[in-house]
């Protein structure tokens, strides 16, 4: 059961994800979380560095859809200036929003990765659907109320993975 929480890959940040490597793996699309994955949960807009990363993905014909559990206003304010499609109130880890994102991008599971900072929402949801999952270190050291609760559970799951030799990277939270 715990293996459903195990990410396919782990990177320090989205900036360690290269469009060249994704293309080599046959990836044509990214489903990404917003808060604490792309920017801090309380930052309304993209940073210049993030805009550059997103543009690099687009230049390599990699489609991006933001799938967030946050409300529509929060996600729209962030996504609209970037012209990135989004799904808000996603209810992750339920798979309906991920399936909708795949349909929107007109991509297959094998052509898509999920990037997120939470095991209990992004990674579990992606793994349940059979997508390649990439866990990133949260951008901010602080979290909203519900995420704080999730992080406590995640720390226990990560400790279990480490004891069982399922992960070989250090968590920096």
């Amino acid at each position: 059961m715990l293996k459903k929480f195990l990410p396919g890959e782990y990177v320090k940040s989205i900036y360690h994800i290269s469009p060249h490597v994704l293309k080599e793996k046959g990836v044509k699309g990214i489903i990404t979380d917003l808060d604490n994955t792309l920017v801090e949960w309380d930052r309304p807009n993209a940073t210049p560095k993030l805009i550059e990363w997103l543009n690099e993905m687009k230049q390599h014909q990699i489609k991006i859809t933001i799938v967030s559990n946050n409300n529509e206003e929060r996600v729209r304010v962030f996504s609209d200036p970037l012209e990135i499609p989004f799904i808000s109130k996603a209810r992750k880890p339920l798979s309906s929003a991920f399936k909708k994102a795949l349909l929107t991008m007109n991509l297959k599971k094998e052509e898509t990765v999920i990037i997120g900072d939470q095991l209990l929402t992004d990674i579990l949801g992606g793994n349940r659907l059979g997508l390649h999952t990439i866990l990133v270190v949260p951008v901010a050291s602080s979290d909203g109320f519900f995420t704080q609760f999730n992080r406590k559970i995640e720390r226990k799951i990560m400790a279990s993975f480490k004891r069982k030799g399922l992960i070989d990277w250090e968590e920096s939270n």
Side-chain angles (χ1 to χ4, degrees):
M1 172 60 191
L2 273 183
K3 289 214 176 184
K4 287 285 186 195
F5 297 100
L6 186 64
E9 209 175 319
Y10 174 80
V11 295
K12 294 285 184 190
S13 79
I14 57 159
Y15 305 114
H16 290 89
I17 301 170
S18 154
H20 304 289
V21 173
L22 292 177
K23 293 295 266 191
E24 285 173 12
K25 294 179 179 179
V27 172
K28 297 178 181 176
I30 295 170
I31 297 171
T32 182
D33 179 44
L34 171 57
D35 296 320
N36 278 349
T37 297
L38 298 180
V39 294
E40 297 87 349
W41 64 276
D42 55 353
R43 178 187 293 273
N45 303 108
T47 63
K49 186 175 180 180
L50 176 60
I51 292 168
E52 186 180 315
W53 183 83
L54 293 167
N55 285 336
E56 187 178 8
M57 292 298 166
K58 288 179 184 177
Q59 287 166 6
H60 285 85
Q61 287 78 49
I62 296 176
K63 298 176 182 178
I64 299 171
T65 299
I66 294 173
V67 174
S68 173
N69 283 347
N70 213 323
N71 65 63
E72 183 176 351
E73 182 182 352
R74 158 64 175 141
V75 187
R76 181 177 302 285
V77 164
F78 181 87
S79 301
D80 279 359
L82 303 169
E83 299 178 351
I84 295 176
F86 69 89
I87 298 166
S88 59
K89 297 182 186 174
R91 299 174 57 212
K92 295 179 288 183
L94 299 179
S95 58
S96 58
F98 296 128
K99 289 177 183 175
K100 184 177 177 183
L102 287 170
L103 280 173
T104 302
M105 294 189 290
N106 195 26
L107 295 174
K108 299 174 191 161
K109 289 189 264 188
E110 304 78 41
E111 301 172 319
T112 311
V113 298
I114 293 190
I115 302 171
D117 69 303
Q118 288 192 65
L119 295 178
L120 299 180
T121 55
D122 311 304
I123 303 306
L124 175 60
N127 284 344
R128 288 178 67 218
L129 198 56
L131 292 151
H132 181 73
T133 53
I134 303 174
L135 181 67
V136 298
V137 174
V139 175
S141 55
S142 67
D143 286 303
F145 176 75
F146 291 109
T147 306
Q148 288 176 12
F149 176 76
N150 284 355
R151 296 273 187 230
K152 289 180 183 176
I153 296 168
E154 287 179 0
R155 282 192 286 277
K156 291 178 192 237
I157 293 170
M158 294 295 262
S160 173
F161 287 159
K162 197 165 194 80
R163 279 193 308 276
K164 294 175 181 177
L166 295 172
I167 59 172
D168 59 2
W169 30 264
E170 291 298 318
E171 193 179 8
S172 58
N173 298 10

